[in-house]
């Protein structure tokens, strides 16, 4: 990861594609999902083995603005987080076990950032937020505590077999809901 003074945190060597329509963005999203690694586990037949992030940079300029004009810009992060895994449930071994541990570690770091942001909001003071503890949280720094509106959609199950996972997911999402940010226009 690199920090660009204009674009913010970027992934070095990543491909940027100019898209002029929503159809092109959907095609890029589909192509990215095809490239995403999935593997069968005892808990899930098509378990995603990584998080997926699609960043959409949007800029807007009035058509008839002449020489003096404002450019409005924004960044939309669409993130599909891989679910946490219990090795005792998935029965993963070898590389799958290591992947699951890495997924859990990044989710824990994201949870720590969310908790720190909630505590800072409750106390009304600035405190240390551990964004640099994982690549995921470093990429999402603007979305979590910056000039952004953040929405978390949680995938839960009504099954009694998934009660613990559902309960933990709802707590995770509820903490994220408590984050307060000061949104300003990007011009």
């Amino acid at each position: 990861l690199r920090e660009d003074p204009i674009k913010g945190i970027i992934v070095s060597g990543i491909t940027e594609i100019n898209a002029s329509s929503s159809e092109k963005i959907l095609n890029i999203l589909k192509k990215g999902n095809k490239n995403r690694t999935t593997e069968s586990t005892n808990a899930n037949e098509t378990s995603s083995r990584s998080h997926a992030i699609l960043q959409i940079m949007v800029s807007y300029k009035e058509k008839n603005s002449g020489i003096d004009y404002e450019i409005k810009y924004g960044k939309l992060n669409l993130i599909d987080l891989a679910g946490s895994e219990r090795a005792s449930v998935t029965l993963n071994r070898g590389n799958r076990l290591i992947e699951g541990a890495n997924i859990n570690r990044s989710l824990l770091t994201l949870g720590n950032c969310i908790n720190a942001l909630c505590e800072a909001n409750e106390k009304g003071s600035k405190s240390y937020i551990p964004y640099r503890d994982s690549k995921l949280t470093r990429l999402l720094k603007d979305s979590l505590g910056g000039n952004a509106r953040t929405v978390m959609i949680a995938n839960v199950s009504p099954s009694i077999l998934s009660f613990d996972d559902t309960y933990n997911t709802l707590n995770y999402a509820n903490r994220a809901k408590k984050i307060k940010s000061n949104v300003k226009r990007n011009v």
Side-chain angles (χ1 to χ4, degrees), residues 25-164:
I25 292 172
L26 286 173
N27 288 335
I28 294 167
L29 181 61
K30 288 175 186 174
K31 182 178 178 184
N33 274 335
K34 285 181 185 174
N35 291 332
R36 194 168 180 194
T37 304
T38 60
E39 190 70 36
S40 178
T41 67
N42 277 3
N44 187 349
E45 192 174 311
T46 57
S47 176
S48 55
R49 307 313 302 155
S50 64
H51 307 303
I53 300 175
L54 174 65
Q55 288 187 328
I56 302 171
M57 310 293 271
V58 180
S59 59
Y60 170 78
K61 179 184 95 164
E62 291 287 337
K63 217 172 200 178
N64 300 325
S65 55
I67 296 172
D68 293 329
Y69 58 87
E70 292 182 339
I71 297 177
K72 298 174 186 172
Y73 63 93
K75 178 170 58 173
L76 175 65
N77 287 318
L78 299 174
I79 302 109
D80 181 11
L81 298 173
S84 62
E85 295 190 352
R86 294 179 195 206
S88 61
V89 174
T90 60
L91 301 178
N92 286 342
R93 301 289 179 259
N95 287 340
R96 299 295 160 252
L97 184 65
I98 293 168
E99 287 170 351
N102 288 333
I103 289 166
N104 290 345
R105 189 177 307 118
S106 68
L107 290 172
L108 177 64
T109 305
L110 178 58
N112 290 341
C113 286
I114 290 169
N115 286 340
L117 287 164
C118 289
E119 286 177 21
N121 287 337
E122 289 171 2
K123 293 178 183 175
S125 64
K126 291 191 175 189
S127 62
Y128 174 73
I129 313 296
Y131 292 120
R132 290 184 169 263
D133 289 358
S134 83
K135 292 177 185 176
L136 175 69
T137 53
R138 195 150 175 230
L139 274 171
L140 299 180
K141 180 180 178 182
D142 291 341
S143 295
L144 291 170
N147 182 23
R149 294 180 192 218
T150 304
V151 176
M152 180 181 282
I153 300 171
N155 186 9
V156 296
S157 171
S159 170
I160 191 69
L161 300 173
S162 302
F163 177 80
D164 289 338

